[in-house]
Amino acid sequence: MGEFKGFLKYDRKKQSEEDLESRIENYDAFQHRFCNDDASEQGARCMDCGTPFCQTGTGVGKETVGCPIGNYIPEWNDLVSKGQFKEAFERLAETNNFPEFTGAVCPAPCESSCVLSINSDPVAIKGIERTIIDEAYKEDWVKPRTPNHRLGTRIAIIGSGPAGLTAADEMNAWGHKVDVYERDMKPGGLLRYGIPNMKLDKEVVERRVSLMEDAGVRFHCGINAGVDLTYEALDEKYDAVIVATGARKQRDLKLEGRQSRDIQFAMDYLTEQIKYQFDEIDAPSISAKDKQVVVIGGGDTGADCVAMALREDCKSVFQFNKYDRLPDAVKGNPFWPLEKKEFKLDYAHAEYEKKFGVEPRTYGVQTMGYDVDFLGDLKGLNTQVLGEESLNGLSVEDQERYFKADLVLLSIGFEGVESELPKAFGLQMDNNKIAAAEDDYRTSRQKVFAAGDSRRGQSLVVWAIKEGRGVAKAAHKFAVQNKMFYKSS
Ligand SMILES: Cc1cc2nc3c(=O)[nH]c(=O)nc-3n(C[C@H](O)[C@H](O)[C@H](O)COP(=O)(O)OP(=O)(O)OC[C@H]3O[C@@H](n4cnc5c(N)ncnc54)[C@H](O)[C@@H]3O)c2cc1C
Ligand code: SF4
């Protein structure tokens, strides 16, 4: 246990951040780690409750209870509270290949499930995790996971997002020779080309990729498997193939006028902006500069668009949310161990409010039509007010509202997997995802495994890591057994 009655003695602390006004002048990551003393104090708040819901990790419908990768949270809380950061890092590294990613971007279902959160503030688990790994890098404790010997097996991994990277890290460490094939020009998947730099510094991704290269993993970028690389070529060369290509097919809102160049997918906007920031393209084709922007979709990707548009110096942003505003925050969590249903200001909303004096979200709004002129330029959006709260007291005429807009960013989720690779590889699909069992990750094709968003649909980085670890075990077993069989026959 961290400290007897520590949770009564110390309050939950937030990690410090760059101030709201100055950070929108650049694209730098704005959140800091705890200093060691603060992390120790926060670790001391852990009650070691005996039933650590925080580390259980199960899916309940679309929600998650506890940490999906089963991080040994109470154990490292205790170690950190005693200042034993090296031991805490070693324990953390047993379950999490990339704490630097989750420590920066995980929505921390562990904290919602923390027993303390029933009637108080949860332990700052994510901030402690981030501090452990940052300290580990600072002290040079993070080393390439180079295997002691090679097994003589070869594994191909398609896709280098967190699922593919995790599978590569595990399988290489166990002695397989691992080749990762990636369509983009650099590895990382959505860690690099989706999540903005403000939330996850791309140097953090590069640092990990380069450790993996030092350990022997080979990355082949700019290769579109299924087009540049056939299944037959992979089958000939490799003992197992892991498909971790994500679920990138974006949901569209096909209303009249959709063909306007001023209506774009959120992901295309974010990816281009990130490429532009890192000099991978000369100029972005989608820009929010000096524009009245409407982001359709109230989720996290939409919030990332708000943050990006602010940094581009947009004129204004409305972020449409179909649902009513959630109630204001209260202490304690009546939904425990699930996430609390309360009003939150995401980082982007707080930044916007600071600059413009209002938060950018509008609630209970349904888009009914795009107003596009004969030249194809967007003028605005016709909307209808929905939801009990939002409709409250409105006359029939007031239920329709027009929003001026020069740019619309569609952020209404993802339909599933792009179909080219599954078609080319002859893989069976299940509801827009690659069909593969949850226990052994095997697809309809002998030798081919699937994991991450391509198997479970758009999800979270922490679930991708969980899937990467799971698929690595399954492919390892398969490849080793096959090798033994062929050697002895
Ligand atoms: C804008 C945005 C922000 C997000 N923010 C967060 C967040 O803050 N926290 C969080 O936990 N989750 C977040 N997510 C979700 C998270 O990023 C994903 O769940 C996670 O990245 C999935 O990992 P993956 O490895 O399965 O797929 P991906 O990260 O999508 O990686 C798939 C990789 O496969 C490659 N690929 C695809 N087809 C081929 C092919 N034919 N040949 C070769 N390579 C191919 C792609 O180029 C890509 O690199 C966010 C998602 C988006 C879109
Ligand atoms: S990975 Fe996410 S859920 Fe797991 S301990 Fe870290 S912040 Fe919590």
Side-chain angles (χ1 to χ4, degrees), residues 104-107 158-165 181-184 186-191 193-196 199 223-227 244-248 267 270 300-301 304 414 418 421 451-454 457-462 464:
V105 303
C106 188
I158 318 293
S160 67
L165 286 180
Y181 293 96
E182 170 53 55
R183 187 173 58 186
D184 282 329
K186 289 187 177 170
L190 289 173
L191 297 169
Y193 292 113
I195 301 174
K199 262 164 63 177
I223 293 185
N224 189 359
V227 177
T245 45
R248 299 289 193 88
M267 258 299 293
L270 291 173
D300 294 345
T301 303
D304 290 336
F414 293 79
E418 295 159 306
L421 181 137
D453 282 3
S454 60
Q458 261 295 331
S459 184
L460 296 173
V461 170
V462 66

Side-chain angles (χ1 to χ4, degrees), residues 27-76:
Y27 295 89
D28 298 343
F30 59 81
Q31 192 175 49
H32 306 149
R33 55 170 278 184
F34 286 126
C35 67
N36 287 10
D37 286 348
D38 281 351
S40 296
E41 196 174 286
Q42 292 302 301
R45 291 186 74 239
C46 179
M47 298 188 288
D48 196 9
C49 54
T51 311
F53 281 82
C54 60
Q55 71 178 50
T56 47
T58 41
V60 179
K62 283 192 172 168
E63 295 194 58
T64 300
V65 172
C67 175
I69 44 181
N71 275 343
Y72 304 127
I73 298 165
E75 290 186 39
W76 37 261

Side-chain angles (χ1 to χ4, degrees), residues 33 43 69 85-86 169 177 192 211 223 241 283 372 414:
R33 55 170 278 184
I69 44 181
F85 284 87
K86 184 151 194 251
D169 190 46
K177 275 206 150 172
R192 184 186 286 269
L211 274 172
I223 293 185
V241 176
V372 175
F414 293 79

